[in-house]
């Protein structure tokens, strides 16, 4: 009986981890999708819509989803997905995670695709590194919140 319970717990943890993780290839594919398709993709995986802002003359529409949001600390979640979009422009996506394993998977895929680092900067407690591929540029950010031991990728 204990073995069955442990197997179920490990299975649920594996499903939860898989739901949070979005692969590099999925991120690239999502960049070409519309808002409804992105919302469906994230909702099926257990992400919750958080909020949105309408575009202005100088900004893009913004929609935000959270995965594993904590109920006791506002603004805290296991992962965040930001979509910036405007008719006639390519979507921009920010995928914020606090999981080194998933970060390493994405970074390994960037290297496998032969993307070259073109720029690296440190600014406001964040390391920005830009990698250029054949069709796009990817910006990797690593930051740490002041007085916290959580690293964002």
């Amino acid at each position: 009986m204990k073995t069955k319970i442990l197997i179920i717990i490990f299975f649920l943890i594996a499903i939860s981890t898989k739901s949070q993780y979005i692969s590099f290839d999925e991120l690239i594919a999502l960049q070409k999708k519309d808002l409804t398709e992105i919302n469906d993709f994230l909702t099926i995986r257990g992400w919750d819509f958080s909020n949105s802002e309408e575009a202005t003359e100088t900004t893009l529409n913004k929609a935000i989803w959270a995965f594993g949001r904590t109920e006791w600390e506002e603004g805290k979640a296991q992962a965040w997905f930001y979509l910036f979009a405007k008719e006639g422009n390519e979507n921009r996506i920010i995928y914020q995670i606090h999981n080194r394993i998933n970060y390493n998977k994405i970074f390994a895929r960037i290297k496998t695709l032969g993307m070259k680092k073109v720029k690296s900067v440190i600014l406001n407690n964040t390391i920005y590194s830009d990698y250029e591929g054949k069709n796009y540029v990817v910006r990797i950010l690593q930051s740490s919140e002041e007085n916290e031991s959580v690293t964002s990728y």
Side-chain angles (χ1 to χ4, degrees), residues 20-34:
Q20 170 196 349
Y21 177 65
I22 302 173
S23 74
F24 181 80
D25 293 332
E26 288 171 323
L27 290 168
I28 297 302
L30 287 170
Q31 184 187 19
K32 297 175 178 102
K33 305 282 185 188
D34 67 24

Side-chain angles (χ1 to χ4, degrees), residues 51-70:
N51 63 33
S52 63
E53 293 176 18
E54 245 182 270
T56 65
E57 288 182 23
T58 58
T59 65
L60 302 172
N61 291 311
K62 178 167 81 171
I64 303 171
W65 291 262
F67 184 86
R69 188 184 342 215
T70 61

Side-chain angles (χ1 to χ4, degrees), residues 46-106:
W47 290 72
D48 296 316
F49 178 75
S50 179
N51 63 33
S52 63
E53 293 176 18
E54 245 182 270
T56 65
E57 288 182 23
T58 58
T59 65
L60 302 172
N61 291 311
K62 178 167 81 171
I64 303 171
W65 291 262
F67 184 86
R69 188 184 342 215
T70 61
E71 294 178 23
W72 54 90
E73 282 187 273
E74 189 161 331
K76 301 284 184 179
Q78 292 176 24
W80 293 94
F81 186 98
Y82 299 80
L83 170 68
F84 297 90
K86 193 170 192 176
E87 194 68 37
N89 292 321
E90 244 181 39
N91 291 339
R92 296 179 185 169
I93 292 173
I94 295 175
Y95 175 50
Q96 180 183 0
I97 54 177
H98 306 284
N99 181 318
R100 181 176 292 280
I101 294 169
N102 291 344
Y103 165 80
N104 288 340
K105 288 178 185 177
I106 290 172

Side-chain angles (χ1 to χ4, degrees), residues 1 4-5 9 13 29 33 51 66 74-75 89-90 106 114-115 122 134 143 147 149 151:
M1 183 65 175
K4 287 182 183 178
I5 292 173
I9 290 171
I13 290 170
K33 305 282 185 188
N51 63 33
E74 189 161 331
N89 292 321
E90 244 181 39
I106 290 172
M115 298 181 79
I122 297 174
K134 190 174 184 176
S143 66
N147 302 321
S149 60
T151 302

